[in-house]
Short mmCIF file of all heavy atoms in Angstrom, two decimals:
data_model
loop_
_atom_site.label_atom_id
_atom_site.label_comp_id
_atom_site.label_asym_id
_atom_site.label_seq_id
_atom_site.Cartn_x
_atom_site.Cartn_y
_atom_site.Cartn_z
N VAL A 53 256.12 18.70 -195.49
CA VAL A 53 256.88 18.12 -196.61
C VAL A 53 258.07 19.01 -196.93
O VAL A 53 259.20 18.53 -197.13
CB VAL A 53 255.97 17.95 -197.85
CG1 VAL A 53 256.80 17.59 -199.07
CG2 VAL A 53 254.93 16.87 -197.58
N ALA A 54 257.83 20.31 -196.95
CA ALA A 54 258.91 21.26 -197.24
C ALA A 54 260.01 21.14 -196.19
O ALA A 54 261.21 21.08 -196.52
CB ALA A 54 258.37 22.69 -197.28
N ALA A 55 259.61 21.06 -194.92
CA ALA A 55 260.60 20.93 -193.85
C ALA A 55 261.38 19.63 -194.02
O ALA A 55 262.61 19.62 -193.90
CB ALA A 55 259.90 20.95 -192.49
N GLY A 56 260.65 18.56 -194.35
CA GLY A 56 261.30 17.27 -194.54
C GLY A 56 262.31 17.30 -195.68
O GLY A 56 263.43 16.82 -195.55
N LEU A 57 261.88 17.94 -196.79
CA LEU A 57 262.77 18.01 -197.95
C LEU A 57 264.01 18.83 -197.64
O LEU A 57 265.14 18.43 -197.96
CB LEU A 57 262.03 18.62 -199.14
CG LEU A 57 261.05 17.68 -199.87
CD1 LEU A 57 260.37 18.41 -201.02
CD2 LEU A 57 261.80 16.44 -200.38
N SER A 58 263.83 19.99 -196.99
CA SER A 58 265.01 20.80 -196.72
C SER A 58 265.95 20.09 -195.76
O SER A 58 267.17 20.18 -195.89
CB SER A 58 264.65 22.19 -196.19
OG SER A 58 263.31 22.26 -195.82
N LEU A 59 265.37 19.36 -194.79
CA LEU A 59 266.22 18.63 -193.85
C LEU A 59 266.98 17.53 -194.56
O LEU A 59 268.14 17.25 -194.24
CB LEU A 59 265.38 18.04 -192.72
CG LEU A 59 264.97 19.02 -191.62
CD1 LEU A 59 263.95 18.37 -190.69
CD2 LEU A 59 266.19 19.47 -190.83
N THR A 60 266.32 16.92 -195.53
CA THR A 60 266.99 15.87 -196.29
C THR A 60 268.21 16.44 -197.02
O THR A 60 269.27 15.83 -197.09
CB THR A 60 266.02 15.26 -197.32
OG1 THR A 60 264.84 14.88 -196.62
CG2 THR A 60 266.62 14.04 -197.99
N LEU A 61 268.03 17.68 -197.55
CA LEU A 61 269.13 18.31 -198.28
C LEU A 61 270.19 18.85 -197.33
O LEU A 61 271.38 18.79 -197.59
CB LEU A 61 268.58 19.44 -199.16
CG LEU A 61 267.60 18.98 -200.25
CD1 LEU A 61 267.06 20.18 -201.03
CD2 LEU A 61 268.28 18.00 -201.20
N LEU A 62 269.76 19.44 -196.21
CA LEU A 62 270.68 20.11 -195.30
C LEU A 62 271.49 19.15 -194.43
O LEU A 62 272.61 19.45 -194.06
CB LEU A 62 269.92 21.08 -194.39
CG LEU A 62 269.38 22.35 -195.07
CD1 LEU A 62 268.53 23.15 -194.10
CD2 LEU A 62 270.55 23.20 -195.58
N THR A 63 270.86 18.03 -194.08
CA THR A 63 271.56 17.10 -193.19
C THR A 63 271.66 15.73 -193.84
O THR A 63 270.87 15.42 -194.73
CB THR A 63 270.82 16.94 -191.84
OG1 THR A 63 269.62 16.20 -192.10
CG2 THR A 63 270.48 18.28 -191.23
N GLU A 64 272.60 14.96 -193.38
CA GLU A 64 272.69 13.60 -193.88
C GLU A 64 272.00 12.64 -192.94
O GLU A 64 271.86 11.47 -193.24
CB GLU A 64 274.15 13.22 -194.07
CG GLU A 64 274.76 14.06 -195.17
CD GLU A 64 276.19 13.70 -195.48
OE1 GLU A 64 276.82 13.03 -194.64
OE2 GLU A 64 276.66 14.10 -196.55
N THR A 65 271.58 13.18 -191.80
CA THR A 65 271.05 12.30 -190.77
C THR A 65 269.52 12.20 -190.79
O THR A 65 268.95 11.30 -190.21
CB THR A 65 271.49 12.79 -189.37
OG1 THR A 65 271.51 14.22 -189.38
CG2 THR A 65 272.85 12.25 -189.03
N PHE A 66 268.84 13.15 -191.46
CA PHE A 66 267.38 13.15 -191.37
C PHE A 66 266.76 11.96 -192.09
O PHE A 66 265.97 11.22 -191.51
CB PHE A 66 266.78 14.46 -191.92
CG PHE A 66 265.27 14.47 -191.87
CD1 PHE A 66 264.62 14.70 -190.66
CD2 PHE A 66 264.51 14.24 -193.00
CE1 PHE A 66 263.23 14.70 -190.58
CE2 PHE A 66 263.12 14.22 -192.93
CZ PHE A 66 262.49 14.46 -191.73
N ALA A 67 267.11 11.81 -193.35
CA ALA A 67 266.42 10.81 -194.17
C ALA A 67 266.98 9.40 -194.00
O ALA A 67 266.84 8.57 -194.88
CB ALA A 67 266.45 11.23 -195.64
N THR A 68 267.61 9.14 -192.88
CA THR A 68 268.06 7.77 -192.64
C THR A 68 266.90 6.95 -192.10
O THR A 68 266.03 7.49 -191.42
CB THR A 68 269.20 7.73 -191.61
OG1 THR A 68 268.72 8.29 -190.38
CG2 THR A 68 270.40 8.53 -192.09
N PRO A 69 266.87 5.66 -192.43
CA PRO A 69 265.76 4.82 -191.95
C PRO A 69 265.62 4.91 -190.43
O PRO A 69 264.52 4.99 -189.91
CB PRO A 69 266.17 3.41 -192.38
CG PRO A 69 267.12 3.61 -193.51
CD PRO A 69 267.81 4.91 -193.27
#
Side-chain angles (χ1 to χ4, degrees):
Chain A
V53 170
L57 283 179
S58 13
L59 281 170
T60 308
L61 297 177
L62 288 174
T63 71
E64 293 183 343
T65 36
F66 179 77
T68 60

